[in-house]
Amino acid sequence: MTLLFIIVSFQQYYGLLQKEGAKAQQQPEQETSQKVPLGAASGSNFTNYTSPQFGFSLLYPSGWVNEEIPPGANLTFLMSFNPPPSEFGEFVTTYMAVKNLTGNNTSLEKFTDQEISLLKSPPVLSAIEDSSARTILESKPITIAGNIPAHKVVYTEKISGALSKIMEIYIVNGKMGYIFTYLANTDSHDKYLPLVQRMVDSLNLTTSSNR
């Protein structure tokens, strides 16, 4: 898949990924994968994805497709986890992105402020986006995997004429900044949220081989 990355923050690639979504096919796992029977979220089974190189693991629904995407100049790693294309025209996708930070002293607060500043910047005008400003609905500190500090932001943005609801989770571990993103049209957001929340709750950080 060839993508034109035109902005700093990867959530802007939504429209391009939407066009490619119908062509997405299951590819061999880049890292380790193991099915885990979990019934907590809508009775679905989950598969474990682990990246020793980038120091994280998470569970994602076993029927979904994971695909590594060229990260562009501003990210180190970008992986999507998507349900199969829907005959009802729903667009739902999640991403795990990794950024190399400038040093070991970048705090979660600083990283969060940087990402929220990007969200508050005017959207880049293109064929897939209009001039509507993003509206931040929620921004608060949270913990994941029991005791890992993180920050959650929920906002809306109009893309290709459709209003999307987007959730981002920011995490810092040493030199790595992590962004977990959930994108969906507003009509589909709540439908898939239990599955996505299970992914967020399962997210765990390890020691990256890049550190």
Side-chain angles (χ1 to χ4, degrees):
M1 184 189 315
T2 300
L3 297 175
L4 176 63
F5 294 97
I6 56 176
I7 56 167
V8 172
S9 191
F10 67 88
Q11 65 266 20
Q12 294 294 321
Y13 313 148
Y14 169 82
L16 295 175
L17 293 171
Q18 185 176 19
K19 294 177 183 178
E20 295 291 337
K23 297 186 292 183
Q25 297 179 357
Q26 181 68 49
Q27 298 184 4
E29 295 284 352
Q30 299 292 323
E31 307 288 348
T32 62
S33 176
Q34 179 182 3
K35 288 187 177 180
V36 180
L38 295 171
S42 302
S44 297
N45 288 336
F46 283 73
T47 295
N48 181 56
Y49 179 87
T50 300
S51 174
Q53 181 179 4
F54 295 106
F56 75 91
S57 66
L58 58 76
L59 301 176
Y60 68 96
S62 298
W64 289 24
V65 177
N66 70 310
E67 181 178 10
E68 186 171 349
I69 300 170
N74 300 292
L75 298 174
T76 304
F77 174 81
L78 180 60
M79 175 72 76
S80 67
F81 300 89
N82 307 321
S86 171
E87 61 181 307
F88 302 108
E90 295 176 325
F91 182 75
V92 176
T93 189
T94 63
Y95 302 106
M96 187 63 179
V98 181
K99 287 186 175 183
N100 270 327
L101 304 179
T102 54
N104 284 320
N105 296 324
T106 300
S107 65
L108 174 61
E109 182 179 6
K110 181 178 179 180
F111 183 57
T112 297
D113 289 344
Q114 291 171 347
E115 295 304 313
I116 291 179
S117 292
L118 292 175
L119 294 181
K120 292 180 177 179
S121 301
V124 177
L125 297 180
S126 73
I128 62 173
E129 299 157 6
D130 61 24
S131 58
S132 299
R134 302 180 191 101
T135 301
I136 296 179
L137 305 176
E138 181 181 1
S139 178
K140 65 179 183 180
I142 62 171
T143 58
I144 60 172
N147 58 3
I148 298 175
H151 194 97
K152 173 183 175 181
V153 174
V154 179
Y155 62 98
T156 57
E157 182 174 359
K158 199 170 186 180
I159 305 175
S160 298
L163 189 64
S164 298
K165 192 172 184 180
I166 304 163
M167 178 179 73
E168 294 189 350
I169 307 294
Y170 308 136
I171 314 157
V172 170
N173 187 26
K175 294 181 180 179
M176 297 290 184
Y178 300 85
I179 307 173
F180 178 90
T181 296
Y182 167 43
L183 292 171
N185 292 336
T186 52
D187 292 344
S188 305
H189 185 272
D190 290 349
K191 174 180 176 181
Y192 290 91
L193 186 57
L195 293 173
V196 174
Q197 189 60 53
R198 184 67 185 92
M199 295 175 69
V200 172
D201 291 342
S202 73
L203 184 57
N204 195 22
L205 302 183
T206 59
T207 301
S208 168
S209 62
N210 279 354
R211 296 177 63 186

